[in-house]
Every structure is written in structure tokens, then in C-alpha cells.
Amino acid sequence: MGKVLIIGCGGVASVAIHKCCQNSEVFEEICIASRTVSKCDALKEKLEKTTKTKITTAQVNADHVDELIALIEKVKPDVVLNLALPYQDLTIMDACLATNVHYVDTANYEPEDTAKFEYKWQWAYRERFEKAGITALLGSGFDPGVTSVFSAYALKHYFDEINYIDILDCNAGDHGYPFATNFNPEINIREVSAKGSYWENGHWVETEPMEIKRVYNFPQIGEKDMYLLHHEEIESLALNIPGIKRIRFFMTFGQSYLTHLKCLENVGMTSIEPIMYEGKEIVPLQFLKAVLPDPSSLGPRTKGKTNIGCIFIGKKDGKEKKLYIYNVCDHESCFKEVGSQAVAYTTGVPAMIGAMMLLTGTWKKAGVYNIEEFDPDPFMEALNKWGLPWIVEENPELVD
Ligand code: NDP
């Protein structure tokens, strides 16, 4: 069917690439390009014996638009799948515009020197993508991504109006380390040490980090502590779900993780302000990343499950309705299938599906769109087929 250029070759990219190679009819050819080309070459060598997908590799620094343009012109992909870091979103979008190629990512742009992510920078590309006749599909991971598609699906099939959404992200996996992050440590720690916020009655309500705690009894997992965080899909769902009154996002954290994080914060290790160390400028959080376990090394050690989904409260035929849509994923099964733990798996699978939606022309709209703005049905079907089956539960336990 077509060719995809995948930028980045970390935890999430590795899963997406495995999945593209399982789906050779659609992904006839992929080029894996990243800063460290040896990682791309190693993955190519592992996978090419197992797949009909033709794999090539390339070195690229995605901070440089001219390098990206040269690469896209050489590879001539139908879609660019950005699985590098949020800092590279805009340079990759610029390169897609210059070469007229569709764009997909899993995380919204965040300037490297301010831990603040929001969509305004990427939404500013709307008119240019529209004029160029190409699509930018934003947030095709799990959250954002699948949670956004769950919301569009609930609205399409179960509700006349959705008033409340609680997005619950539970990782009950145990990797045996006292402290490690399940995806890029720098991005992860920036996210969880930031102030929390939720959307209520048309505006943001800000909270202190980890200020709001709830306990929830997750299906197939059991009771876990969860904390309210700011999360990027809230911003777009607040605009795209008519009638919405409140959207909150909760993530589970164990006590050991929180104690370590607090201690690292207290000593200044999570700061993104550069400091001088032995005559060299270093960023404490980047140094911390270098000493923490690489998330891709967690795969063989992690046991347990994730449960990520959304609880909706709204109206159907004039009556109140409550619904929970979620996916449960098992760390060890993911590792067996693609050599990665479930956090990378739950992001990499929807990244592949998003690229497939554009490659096959199933989703076709010129401009910049969040994922809930497309028809959710083909994506939901693909989730069942490609390893992330979902469950719909009526009248679930609610979060107070
Ligand atoms: P990793 O750190 O494991 O991988 C990042 C990859 O990008 C590495 O291969 C890295 O190269 C490469 N890279 C970084 N900077 C550049 C650059 N300037 N030029 C080219 N390549 C570069 O991250 P993850 O796989 O954990 O995360 C990938 C993305 O997925 C992130 O944006 C993250 O926010 C997002 N994510 C989204 C989720 C969702 O549900 N929506 C959940 C989890 C993650 P090198 O090997 O040289 O370091």
C-alpha cells in the first residue's frame, strides 16, 4: 500500500515498527531514521528476516528542518510518523509542509526550556496544512490517542451528550527497581512534577502537583491510588466534545515512586534550569535521565497489567448514562510479542494504526486535527485486531 518514514527509534518507535512489520500489506516499506542510526540498524537486522516489509535506515537530527527535508525528499514516504521527542514536533511538521507529506505524532509540542505542553503551537499550522492538502494527525498514542478515540466512539454510539469524562491511567506493572520511569524519563518527570489541572465549566482549574488523590478499584487489577495530573488530551477534548462540563485525568503511582520523586525534587535533580558543573553546563533532569534505567531495559523485568480508559457520564434519550471503556494490557505478553513492556506497547500500537489510517486513505482531511475529530469506528476495529482489545462496561464505579 505505501511507505512510512518513522523518526525516532526508542521504546515507542520499536513497538510501532514491530507492528508495521506485522502489517506488511499496508506498510510495504518503512524507513527508520533517528539520531543514533545504530539503534535503527539493530532493529532492521532483527526484523527483516521476519517480515515482507522492506526496511531501510537513516541518520537524522530532527532538530534541523533542512536535514529532515533532504531525508524526506530521498525516502519519498507517504506519511511521516514522528516518534522522537515532543521537542521535534514543529521541525518535523515544517519539513512535512515543505515536502507535502502527511504527519502523525503521539505527543504535543513542548519547548525544551519550559515544561509546558499545549496545542497552540501545532494548531497554528492548521491553515498551512489545509492549503497544502495534507493531514497532520496529532496525538495517536494511548493517552492522548486511544482515550480520545474512546471519547469520540462513546459520543457516536452511546450518548446524545457527554458531560463528564474521567480518564484513568493505571500501570500496575512491577519492574523490581526502586525507581524507574516507563517511558522517556525526562518527558515523564516533567509531566508528573508539573502542577495538575482539570477542565471545568469552560476553564482550567489548577492544582498543586499530586494534590488530588483518589483510590479506584480497576477491573482486572484491583485498588490503586491515583493522582490528578494535567494531560494534553483534556485541551482538545474540551473543544471537541460538545456539552462537556468537566474532564479530569488520573494516573496511578505507587508510594515508592512518589517518595523517590519527592526526594529528587527536594535536592534539585528534576530541575530543567541549566547549572555549571566542573566548567560545563548541565541540566539536572538530563543528568538524572542518564543515571536512571533505560525504559527499554524494563521489558524483561516487568510483570503485571495496565488498565487505561475513560469513564463517561452524560445523557441518552433524556436519561443519565454512565459508561466505562478501557483496555487491559499485560506487560509480559507484550514483551513476549515485541520485546517491550506495556507502556511502550500501548503507545506504539495506536501510532502504527494512526499512520495506517492516513496511508490507506481511511481518514482523509486536509489540515491539523486531533485524533477525536475523525470517525472512531475504523480505529476501534483496528485496536481489536492489532493487540489492544477494549471493553465497554455500563454503570461502572465512579470517581468521586
Ligand atoms: P525514547 O527516549 O525511548 O525515544 C526517543 C527517540 O527519539 C530515540 O530514538 C532518540 O534518539 C530519538 N531522538 C531524540 N531526539 C532526536 C533528534 N533531535 N533527532 C532524531 N531523533 C531524536 O522515547 P519514547 O519512545 O519513550 O517516547 C517517544 C514519544 O512518545 C515521546 O514524544 C513521548 O512523549 C511519546 N509518548 C506518548 C504516549 C502517549 O500515550 N501518547 C505515551 C508514552 C510516550 P537517541 O536514540 O539518539 O536518543
Side-chain angles (χ1 to χ4, degrees):
M1 182 85 64
K3 192 195 284 186
V4 171
L5 169 62
I6 297 168
I7 300 184
C9 193
V12 172
S14 167
V15 175
I17 292 162
H18 274 83
K19 285 290 170 178
C20 290
C21 290
Q22 288 176 12
N23 190 2
S24 306
E25 263 177 41
V26 170
F27 295 90
E28 281 174 341
E29 208 173 324
I30 56 172
C31 174
I32 316 168
S34 193
R35 189 166 52 185
T36 314
V37 73
S38 55
K39 288 191 194 168
C40 312
D41 291 335
L43 198 55
K44 170 182 151 114
E45 202 188 312
K46 176 183 171 202
L47 285 170
E48 66 188 351
K49 303 160 228 146
T50 66
T51 180
K52 284 192 182 139
T53 302
K54 184 179 168 214
I55 308 171
T56 57
T57 63
Q59 201 277 330
V60 75
N61 184 341
D63 291 326
H64 301 142
V65 180
D66 49 347
E67 273 190 40
L68 288 163
I69 292 176
L71 177 66
I72 296 174
E73 280 174 347
K74 186 168 159 233
V75 174
K76 296 189 173 45
D78 303 290
V79 176
V80 172
L81 177 54
N82 168 15
L83 299 176
L85 297 179
Y87 317 132
Q88 281 85 44
D89 287 5
L90 301 187
T91 46
I92 300 177
M93 287 177 84
D94 283 329
C96 285
L97 265 177
T99 51
N100 256 37
V101 178
H102 301 305
Y103 168 90
V104 181
D105 69 26
T106 65
N108 70 8
Y109 175 68
E110 183 174 340
E112 209 161 347
D113 55 358
T114 14
K116 174 138 187 76
F117 47 88
E118 50 185 323
Y119 278 115
K120 69 172 182 207
W121 291 284
Q122 290 180 281
W123 284 345
Y125 283 71
R126 276 174 178 150
E127 219 172 284
R128 280 174 283 164
F129 269 72
E130 218 172 287
K131 272 200 189 125
I134 50 174
T135 308
L137 171 60
L138 307 184
S140 192
F142 205 105
D143 40 346
V146 176
T147 52
S148 326
V149 175
F150 284 171
S151 303
Y153 185 79
L155 185 63
K156 180 172 175 184
H157 296 286
Y158 290 93
F159 289 90
D160 295 328
E161 187 180 294
I162 295 177
N163 305 121
Y164 300 94
I165 305 177
D166 279 330
I167 302 165
L168 310 190
D169 180 331
C170 169
N171 179 6
D174 180 8
H175 45 59
Y177 285 118
F179 185 81
T181 64
N182 292 291
F183 69 97
N184 184 288
E186 191 185 329
I187 306 293
N188 184 221
I189 291 173
R190 279 165 74 118
E191 178 176 283
V192 302
S193 53
K195 289 205 171 188
S197 70
Y198 59 98
W199 183 262
E200 191 166 46
N201 298 325
H203 61 266
W204 291 103
V205 181
E206 203 169 81
T207 70
E208 288 307 310
M210 310 289 172
E211 184 188 332
I212 299 185
K213 175 188 171 186
R214 296 285 185 273
V215 179
Y216 193 79
N217 190 7
F218 287 91
Q220 300 185 39
I221 287 177
E223 273 195 0
K224 292 280 165 197
D225 295 345
M226 60 183 193
Y227 298 82
L228 186 139
L229 298 185
H230 173 65
H231 224 245
E232 61 193 67
E233 65 266 53
I234 299 179
E235 192 187 357
S236 66
L237 288 172
L239 295 176
N240 293 325
I241 304 293
I244 194 76
K245 291 186 179 144
R246 188 185 67 202
I247 314 177
R248 302 182 296 186
F249 180 97
F250 291 91
M251 190 177 270
T252 61
F253 295 104
Q255 202 44 54
S256 166
Y257 180 94
L258 292 177
T259 309
H260 280 78
L261 187 63
K262 193 82 227 145
C263 175
L264 291 166
E265 256 170 16
N266 287 345
V267 298
M269 280 309 298
T270 60
S271 167
I272 60 170
E273 289 298 320
I275 53 152
M276 290 306 289
Y277 177 71
E278 294 192 341
K280 196 176 179 301
E281 199 174 77
I282 62 162
V283 173
L285 180 56
Q286 286 172 1
F287 178 75
L288 176 62
K289 172 181 188 265
V291 297
L292 285 175
D294 181 346
S296 61
S297 70
L298 303 179
R301 314 169 50 103
T302 309
K303 296 181 172 37
K305 289 177 179 168
T306 61
N307 176 330
I308 320 176
C310 307
I311 297 175
F312 304 99
I313 306 175
K315 292 189 189 71
K316 181 73 182 170
D317 302 326
K319 286 195 204 116
E320 187 182 79
K321 184 172 177 68
K322 303 173 202 119
L323 197 79
Y324 190 13
I325 310 184
Y326 60 87
N327 160 264
V328 174
C329 202
D330 180 73
H331 284 287
E332 285 173 285
S333 318
C334 295
F335 186 73
K336 220 165 153 189
E337 185 194 326
V338 298
S340 302
Q341 35 83 5
V343 175
Y345 191 92
T346 52
T347 312
V349 171
M352 177 281 284
I353 296 173
M356 174 168 77
M357 292 292 121
L358 298 191
L359 201 57
T360 54
T362 309
W363 284 354
K364 223 178 184 173
K365 269 199 284 199
V368 175
Y369 294 98
N370 291 90
I371 195 163
E372 67 272 14
E373 294 179 83
F374 291 92
D375 178 10
D377 292 357
F379 198 99
M380 291 292 275
E381 207 177 292
L383 286 171
N384 280 335
K385 179 168 177 194
W386 294 104
L388 294 176
W390 37 273
I391 294 163
V392 178
E393 200 180 297
E394 303 263 357
N395 293 318
E397 175 191 328
L398 300 180
V399 181
D400 61 15

